Structure formats: structure tokens, C-alpha cells
Amino acid sequence: MILVLNKDVMAIGNERDVVPFRNRVKEHAVKIGMSLVNQTKLITAASELVRNMLRYANGGVTNIETVSKGRENGIRLTFLDKGPGIKDIPQAMKDGFSTGKSLGLGLPGARRLVSEFDIVSSPGKGTTVTIIKWKNG
């Protein structure tokens, strides 16, 4: 069972929101004593996901939560948008697949950097991506 210890909500509407978002994620990670390597992995994944949200859905809302499961603490980030959604999630999770003009490494790369990754999407209704990086994971 995961307990939420605290929560921040940030609206992401343009590129200017990315740096403050990244800084807020780092603050939460530092507070739980996450190593610099794990902070870097979390922030890299978060940056990719928030930029995807801007690129494909013109923004959305992010939740930044400090969570606990047993003796482990971590940071859970949720990215919610009302964009066009993803038609084929398994295909979108493959390296090299892109509906935009990118390398198609964002979603699968973000998944590799975090401890837990979940994506839910409905065409025409939007996408929700949730990641967790455990302090020692």
C-alpha cells in the first residue's frame, strides 16, 4: 500500500513552466534524501514526459507526490492531459516509434529511468502517465 506524504499540483501550459516543474521535482527528491544519480534519472524522465505533454496535448497538469511504501520513500509524478490520446500504447512504448518528428525514444526511455511506470490513454480523451522513482530504486 502506497501512502501519500505530501502533494504539489502544477499546471503546465508552455515551455516556461518546465524549469520550475523540474526544480520542484528536485526539491521533493532532495527532501527524501534521494541520491544524485536517482535524482538525475527522475528529472530526466520527468522532463521528457512534461515536454511530451506540451508537444502533443498543449499542456496539462502534473502531480508531484512524496510517497511511502513500507520502509521505502519515493517520488510519484503524474502527468494528465486532455490531448488526442494514444491509439496504440504498446507501439508507442517501442524505441523508434513517433507520431511527431522525434526519435521516438521519449516514452520507452522514461520507462527505463524510473522504478514504476504506468500509462493510460483513450483516443480523443487524453493521457495519464504515472511514474515512481524510489529513493533506493
Side-chain angles (χ1 to χ4, degrees):
M1 179 176 176
I2 295 178
L3 297 175
V4 177
L5 304 175
N6 66 45
K7 178 178 180 177
D8 267 341
V9 177
M10 287 186 70
I12 304 295
N14 57 56
E15 281 289 327
R16 289 186 307 249
D17 298 329
V18 173
V19 171
F21 167 73
R22 288 170 48 112
N23 290 341
R24 188 89 51 93
V25 171
K26 183 176 177 71
E27 289 172 15
H28 282 265
V30 167
K31 280 184 184 173
I32 66 167
M34 186 178 283
S35 72
L36 186 58
V37 170
N38 281 345
Q39 286 179 42
T40 302
K41 289 178 180 179
L42 175 64
I43 292 168
T44 301
S47 297
E48 187 61 38
L49 294 171
V50 79
R51 285 204 161 84
N52 273 358
M53 199 167 68
L54 282 169
R55 181 180 303 135
Y56 296 106
N58 294 320
V61 174
T62 61
N63 295 330
I64 307 168
E65 299 171 305
T66 302
V67 295
S68 176
K69 185 167 85 175
R71 294 181 179 185
E72 188 80 69
N73 288 332
I75 304 298
R76 179 169 61 192
L77 304 176
T78 305
F79 304 83
L80 305 105
D81 72 59
K82 303 276 185 204
I86 301 170
K87 293 179 184 170
D88 187 338
I89 292 173
Q91 188 176 29
M93 295 306 299
K94 292 181 180 174
D95 285 333
F97 176 79
S98 176
T99 58
K101 295 178 180 176
S102 70
L103 296 174
L105 299 172
L107 287 174
R111 180 174 60 186
R112 286 189 288 269
L113 293 169
V114 297
S115 308
E116 299 182 28
F117 185 99
D118 184 58
I119 184 169
V120 177
S121 187
S122 298
K125 295 184 178 176
T127 301
T128 300
V129 177
T130 304
I131 62 173
I132 297 176
K133 185 67 177 171
W134 295 110
K135 176 182 169 184
N136 299 313

